[in-house]
Amino acid sequence: MSTKRPFASASVLESIAAQYPTPFYIYDEAGIRANAQRLVDAFAWNPGFKEYFAVKATPNPALIDILREYGAGVDCSSETELLLVEAMGMSGDDIMFSSNDTPAGEFEHALRLGATINLDDITHIPALASACERAGVDLPDTVSLRFNPGGDFAFANGIFGSPEGAKFGLTEPQMLEAARQLRDLGVEHIGVHALLASNTLSNDYYPTLARTLFAMAVRIEREVGVDVSLVNLSGGVGISYKPEDEDNDITLIGEGVRQAYEEILVPAGMGDVAIATELGRFMMGPYGALVTRVIHTKDTYHHYLGVDACAANLMRPMLYGAYHHITVMGKEDRPCDHLYDVVGMLCENSDRLADDRALPEVQVGDLLFIHDTGAHGHSMGYNYNGRLRSAELLLQEDGSVRLIRRAETPADYFATLDVLPVYDRLPKRKSERP
């Protein structure tokens, strides 16, 4: 069994907590950079390779800008995400817009930015054409199609399920018909995309998916007579949430995709196809943590640790039964000989960050480091029970800490209400006073 170690020491986190009250998210810049370079190196064999970071995983400009230094673009799934990256100065080929059940106005916004649009259904083709008319632009030269081959899939899991049960993508006959319709509308290049699994722990997932998509790409070129210029492997490459899990090896994964490329695309005369990825969890997950403090203990039928974070800060355990490893700071090497339920303060019995978790003996005041929350952690936060989302911090390479998102205040919570003036009569938190 491997050991998960926090990327910051107990003394460093206590020092940070003295300035930024718990709970907070913290990200490891050095880890993010090293991982981004590994991905670039793994796909360096493909001159057109580009990572489109999945904004939904961690929508923070400070973190996205780190990845941009390694050539990454972004994958957006909503107009708000488009607005975010537009404000960052991004446009054109740096944006992939992959949405489903897409409102017309969102297509129009993506078109104005020159984003590569990835269609989730064949009925979206006339919707896109209408959006072009309203936006006063021509159909893009390149349009991508999201493929769902159906059936079962060896890498399916409880988060995503099998392709046949997923709401995403076009069937194989629909892919060919959609390519014909786009060709007849003047689209010159087709992209092929699919996400068939989530958080896979196997070096075989991407190579297996690549073979499926490469075969589809060859069929489109041969049967429809339109150029396929892009194959987008999307996300799905997972991380080892549990200490006993084995990490994916992105170098081996890249090599497996290269072999499939040379066996399928190159003999078909398609050796110029660009490869893309839309990794979120793999890029950020291990390099973010939720830091929370134990504020109560309770002994009834279970031994409970009450912390100042809750499911409003980290929804994954409540939503998926997801496991996140927990380190008690300052007690990293003590035996884990006590069982605790780690719970938050929501009025929900499912508000649990861990059940029957083996930890060292814990006291009120201890800091807990909740691992692997750098993706789909803060971004899935919500305000049930009036709980407020926490700050995000960046532990920089030089050891300094930078606030990259402040914690919410009650003023933020009340800001969308027509009765906002009522807030002016409420007692202010110390942090909100002038």
Side-chain angles (χ1 to χ4, degrees):
M1 179 181 292
S2 62
T3 302
K4 280 187 173 288
R5 307 293 295 192
F7 52 74
S9 67
S11 60
V12 166
L13 290 178
E14 285 289 2
S15 176
I16 294 170
Q19 182 177 4
Y20 302 102
T22 56
F24 56 77
Y25 274 80
I26 188 165
Y27 303 90
D28 175 24
E29 180 181 4
I32 294 168
R33 288 186 178 278
N35 192 51
Q37 187 61 57
R38 284 192 292 271
L39 176 68
V40 170
D41 293 343
F43 286 90
W45 55 268
N46 182 257
F49 173 75
K50 193 173 187 68
E51 155 67 4
Y52 291 94
F53 175 69
V55 174
K56 60 181 173 287
T58 321
N60 192 299
L63 302 175
I64 295 170
D65 274 338
I66 294 173
L67 299 181
R68 291 176 71 187
E69 293 182 36
Y70 297 85
V74 290
D75 167 52
C76 295
S77 58
S78 71
E79 186 166 25
T80 303
E81 290 181 355
L82 289 172
L83 287 165
L84 174 68
V85 301
E86 182 180 13
M88 296 173 63
M90 303 183 75
S91 62
D93 291 341
D94 281 336
I95 304 174
M96 181 74 63
F97 183 61
S98 299
S99 67
N100 63 95
D101 195 22
T102 308
E106 299 196 359
F107 278 139
E108 293 173 36
H109 199 138
L111 287 164
R112 287 195 295 271
L113 289 177
T116 299
I117 294 177
N118 184 37
L119 299 179
D120 185 65
D121 187 59
I122 193 168
T123 63
H124 292 181
I125 294 174
L128 179 63
S130 296
C132 288
E133 292 181 11
R134 290 190 297 273
V137 298
D138 295 329
L139 271 168
D141 290 337
T142 302
V143 175
S144 181
L145 297 171
R146 189 171 191 173
F147 180 37
N148 184 333
D152 293 323
F153 194 60
F155 301 93
N157 57 38
I159 295 177
F160 194 86
S162 65
E164 194 164 298
K167 70 174 184 175
F168 307 109
L170 292 80
T171 66
E172 188 165 336
Q174 288 175 337
M175 288 287 290
L176 296 169
E177 176 58 27
R180 291 187 188 98
Q181 291 183 20
L182 290 169
R183 176 202 63 193
D184 293 346
L185 288 170
V187 172
E188 297 179 1
H189 308 284
I190 297 294
V192 178
H193 170 287
L195 175 65
L196 302 186
S198 178
N199 195 45
T200 60
L201 284 179
S202 169
N203 295 326
D204 294 328
Y205 168 62
Y206 256 5
T208 302
L209 173 64
R211 290 180 182 277
T212 298
L213 297 187
F214 294 163
M216 187 74 253
V218 171
R219 282 200 67 189
I220 289 172
E221 280 219 0
R222 287 179 176 172
E223 298 182 27
V224 182
V226 63
D227 177 64
V228 176
S229 60
L230 172 71
V231 170
N232 187 337
L233 301 173
S234 191
V237 177
I239 62 174
S240 55
Y241 286 102
K242 297 180 179 180
E244 62 267 26
D245 290 338
E246 186 173 347
D247 290 330
N248 282 317
D249 185 330
I250 197 64
T251 301
L252 289 179
I253 290 170
E255 175 60 18
V257 175
R258 183 193 66 78
Q259 291 177 10
Y261 189 97
E262 293 185 355
E263 291 174 14
I264 299 172
L265 291 183
V266 172
M270 298 172 64
D272 58 347
V273 172
I275 300 298
T277 56
E278 293 173 355
L279 296 167
R281 190 191 319 267
F282 181 82
M283 301 307 296
M284 288 288 177
Y287 313 108
L290 175 60
V291 178
T292 182
R293 195 177 295 279
V294 178
I295 57 175
H296 294 288
T297 61
K298 177 178 179 177
D299 294 311
T300 53
Y301 304 104
H302 290 251
H303 301 298
Y304 293 98
L305 299 179
V307 298
D308 57 8
C310 62
N313 302 104
L314 180 62
M315 187 193 291
R316 295 189 74 253
M318 173 190 281
L319 187 61
Y320 301 122
Y323 178 96
H324 285 271
H325 198 65
I326 298 175
T327 296
V328 183
M329 300 308 300
K331 301 178 180 180
E332 296 89 342
D333 298 316
R334 295 188 188 180
C336 294
D337 52 6
H338 289 64
L339 289 180
Y340 296 103
D341 290 4
V342 183
V343 300
M345 69 289 290
L346 293 187
C347 295
E348 289 285 345
N349 192 46
S350 57
D351 179 21
R352 297 163 179 269
L353 302 176
D355 281 330
D356 292 325
R357 184 65 59 86
L359 297 171
E361 185 176 8
V362 178
Q363 282 81 38
V364 169
D366 283 344
L367 279 183
L368 304 185
F369 184 99
I370 303 178
H371 293 255
D372 303 314
T373 62
H376 310 291
H378 191 282
S379 64
M380 293 176 73
Y382 60 107
N383 289 127
Y384 184 56
N385 281 183
R387 296 299 170 185
L388 304 174
R389 282 168 284 207
S390 54
E392 290 183 294
L393 311 174
L394 180 63
L395 180 61
Q396 300 182 116
E397 289 186 293
D398 63 3
S400 63
V401 175
R402 175 184 165 198
L403 178 67
I404 58 174
R405 187 192 301 271
R406 67 166 174 81
E408 288 183 339
T409 68
D412 298 312
Y413 181 73
F414 291 119
T416 56
L417 295 174
D418 290 339
V419 294
L420 181 60
V422 172
Y423 177 73
D424 294 334
R425 300 195 293 272
L426 297 177
K428 299 297 187 292
R429 287 183 171 184
K430 185 183 299 184
S431 61
E432 296 178 271
R433 295 170 188 163

